[in-house]
Amino acid sequence: EVQRLESTQTITQVFNVTGTGGTATTITIAIHGTNDTPYVVQQGATLAVHQNAGETGWGSTAPTGSFVVSDVDNNEGNSLTITGATAIAPATNNGYSYKVVGAHGTYFIKAGAATVNNGEPSTQFDYKYVATDSGNYSGSTTDTVHVNVTDGHGGTISVNLSTNLTADNDKP
């Protein structure tokens, strides 16, 4: 219970003790809560896109993933949100509320299911990756971005999203 105290909560523990000389006294300890930083429960796997030889684009498949973040301060409510990303209109973006532009594409992110994980409020964030460069090269590269998740009370954690892009060598 102590770990789940919010920054505005305090509990008091009272102990009655008797010293070796027989003197009785009371010891009172006040335990003040703090805002705990959210933490990643489940990190999303690295996504992958592939371009076949002779192609100039990445096709229409947008790989998807998810990650789950929890906050031990369960009395604060489930207020985990994305920060450091560009807000977009969910109605015109298939429910995605945020986007983060990487070196070779764009990640689209939305808050998914709010759940409880080991008694702690958790949020699953779903994302997809859309490669935007021509990819007209051979070899592979990784596009990684950092997304911040905040609990709305000062606690923030950074989550990395990564996609491996692989392009086959084009014939001369």
Side-chain angles (χ1 to χ4, degrees):
E1 291 304 311
V2 172
Q3 181 62 32
R4 290 193 163 104
L5 290 175
E6 288 183 45
S7 59
T8 59
Q9 294 178 312
T10 301
I11 60 172
T12 303
Q13 295 287 318
V14 178
F15 301 94
N16 296 314
V17 295
T18 303
T20 57
T23 304
T25 190
T26 301
I27 299 173
T28 303
I29 300 173
I31 303 168
H32 302 280
T34 60
N35 181 46
D36 294 291
T37 301
Y39 63 96
V40 177
V41 176
Q42 173 191 338
Q43 175 67 50
T46 299
L47 304 179
V49 292
H50 183 263
Q51 179 190 72
N52 294 320
E55 293 178 349
T56 57
W58 295 100
S60 60
T61 303
T64 61
S66 65
F67 60 94
V68 178
V69 177
S70 280
D71 188 3
V72 72
D73 300 318
N74 63 355
N75 293 324
E76 292 177 344
N78 196 2
S79 59
L80 299 172
T81 57
I82 297 288
T83 60
T86 303
I88 57 176
T92 57
N93 289 287
N94 295 322
Y96 291 93
S97 302
Y98 305 96
K99 72 176 181 177
V100 180
V101 177
H104 304 283
T106 302
Y107 289 88
F108 294 90
I109 308 164
K110 63 182 171 183
T115 61
V116 175
N117 182 40
N118 293 325
E120 299 166 7
S122 301
T123 301
Q124 175 175 314
F125 292 92
D126 301 315
Y127 60 95
K128 71 177 180 178
Y129 180 79
V130 177
T132 54
D133 71 356
S134 68
N136 198 14
Y137 56 89
S138 64
S140 63
T141 189
T142 301
D143 197 355
T144 301
V145 297
H146 310 283
V147 176
N148 293 323
V149 179
T150 181
D151 65 5
H153 300 277
T156 301
I157 188 167
S158 182
V159 178
N160 295 332
L161 305 179
S162 294
T163 301
N164 291 331
L165 295 92
T166 305
D168 291 341
N169 189 18
D170 292 332
K171 295 179 183 176

